[in-house]
Amino acid sequence: MFYGIDLPSRLMLGTAGYPSPAILREAIAVSGAGVITVSLRREGGEGAAFREILRASGCRILPNTAGCHTAREAVTTAQMAREVFGTSWIKLEVIGHADTLQPDPFALVEAARILCAEGFEVFPYTTEDLIVGERLIEAGCRVLMPWGAPIGSGQGLRNIEGLRSMRAHFPDVPLVIDAGIGAPSQALQAMEMGFDAVLLNTAVAKALNPVAMAQAFGQAVAAGRTAHEAGLMPPRDMAAPSTPLFGLAELADAP
Amino acid sequence: MQIDLNGQCLTTGATTLKDLIEEQGFDPSSVATALEGTFVPRPLRAATPLTPGARVEVLSPMQGG
């Protein structure tokens, strides 16, 4: 549940960087994504066609504050997004460094506090830092979105143990792996670990065949969730035969 | 007067934010506006005067990740 909403799919898909609007439309459809992310930019003339894709998708819209480097910019962008998209959901990004696109945790918490007080339902793009996560919860966030790896890097889950700790530390908070996912296997791994959803964009948009890749991610996220619910076996150091030994024939030569 | 609209210098006859949106041919219901970095909600555009050098942003939905 994300702010009281039960989503039909645990894949959240970004809409940027696709080869064409038609491919974007088809990728959204075959991915089965329940949420798509969007942004606000200076009106360039092609806005009407994009709005039609959003409307036709039937997906819930999650606007972002991508590109904002201060709390003030992010708050203003969120306020503008709420009016245009008619939703209180906001993917809060406050970028701290242009190379890593790593979140600025101090400005992030500050912006989250302001936006939560204004009635926004904030999805903060954060790191796996537990204390930052706690501060975001105190600020009013009821979802956290730790990065897997830097945005657009496709490195997957770069700090698996840190993410595992975060999952254990916030057992009742919906956690979404946001950014850095490059392959369906990585999304599947995140879901197996018990994360509630995965948000990705570039891995689909920049695939040779984005529509097929969107489908693969949809399947991977669903498979990972099912596996998590089914309960994974604990790993062991030594082998253990899966075929019963009882009734095994003696076929070796007699000593 | 001259203002700054979306980073471009512009000479306008509009005296309010609402007039500017109409003058520039934006669809008023599908854009969001900010003046000097502060959000101006749609109902307040008519009551928001423009002054020379004003910095206006008019944003609309775009692709995003």
Side-chain angles (χ1 to χ4, degrees):
Chain A
M1 295 281 269
F2 302 89
Y3 291 101
I5 301 295
D6 212 359
L7 296 171
S9 159
R10 291 166 181 272
L11 175 61
M12 302 183 177
L13 189 63
T15 57
Y18 290 77
S20 73
I23 290 175
L24 167 61
R25 186 194 303 265
E26 204 179 339
I28 294 170
V30 303
S31 73
V35 171
I36 52 176
T37 58
V38 297
S39 71
L40 276 183
R41 288 293 181 262
R42 289 167 171 172
E43 171 69 55
E46 71 272 28
F50 183 60
R51 286 196 297 278
E52 174 54 25
I53 290 179
L54 301 186
R55 197 197 55 74
S57 76
C59 292
R60 186 167 278 271
I61 304 295
L62 177 59
N64 69 26
T65 64
C68 292
H69 285 256
T70 66
R72 175 170 152 75
E73 286 173 297
V75 167
T76 300
T77 303
Q79 291 166 335
M80 296 173 85
R82 178 159 65 176
E83 184 180 78
V84 165
F85 295 107
T87 175
S88 294
W89 280 20
I90 190 75
K91 174 182 164 181
L92 181 61
E93 286 184 45
V94 189
I95 298 302
H97 195 283
D99 288 344
T100 61
L101 299 182
Q102 179 161 353
D104 174 341
F106 309 99
L108 181 68
V109 172
E110 182 189 346
R113 188 170 292 123
I114 294 167
L115 291 172
C116 290
E118 291 186 10
F120 283 87
E121 295 177 313
V122 177
F123 292 66
Y125 164 63
T126 183
T127 67
E128 66 275 33
D129 189 290
L130 301 180
I131 309 306
V132 173
E134 287 182 355
R135 293 290 184 273
L136 288 166
I137 300 290
E138 286 167 18
C141 298
R142 287 188 280 139
V143 172
L144 298 175
M145 301 213 295
W147 64 350
I151 295 172
S153 70
Q155 295 175 22
L157 307 183
R158 211 162 62 157
N159 180 1
I160 287 176
E161 291 312 317
L163 289 169
R164 214 184 288 284
S165 298
M166 188 175 195
R167 179 66 283 179
H169 194 76
F170 298 103
D172 302 320
V173 178
L175 299 180
V176 182
I177 296 291
D178 174 17
I181 297 290
S185 55
Q186 298 160 353
L188 197 153
Q189 181 184 28
M191 296 305 298
E192 280 179 347
M193 288 168 63
F195 287 92
D196 295 276
V198 171
L199 198 169
L200 56 96
N201 187 154
T202 311
V204 169
K206 299 304 180 192
L208 281 178
N209 181 340
V211 174
M213 190 60 80
Q215 183 178 24
F217 269 107
Q219 292 166 337
V221 167
R225 179 64 190 178
T226 304
H228 174 70
E229 287 172 345
L232 296 164
M233 65 162 277
R236 329 167 17 112
D237 288 339
M238 299 295 290
S242 49
T243 303
L245 291 174
F246 178 78
L248 182 66
E250 285 186 23
L251 302 174
D253 291 334
Chain B
M1 76 180 132
Q2 286 209 331
I3 64 160
D4 182 308
L5 173 62
N6 286 353
Q8 303 285 323
C9 188
L10 177 80
T11 302
T12 178
T15 55
T16 67
L17 196 50
K18 179 172 184 287
D19 291 345
L20 179 71
I21 299 300
E22 283 167 13
E23 177 194 88
Q24 294 299 311
F26 292 115
D27 173 2
S29 63
S30 64
V31 295
T33 51
L35 177 64
E36 309 302 343
T38 299
F39 171 53
V40 180
R42 203 171 289 146
L44 297 185
R45 286 176 195 163
T48 303
L50 296 177
T51 53
R55 200 163 51 85
V56 178
E57 291 284 348
V58 179
L59 305 185
S60 62
M62 287 292 152
Q63 294 83 347

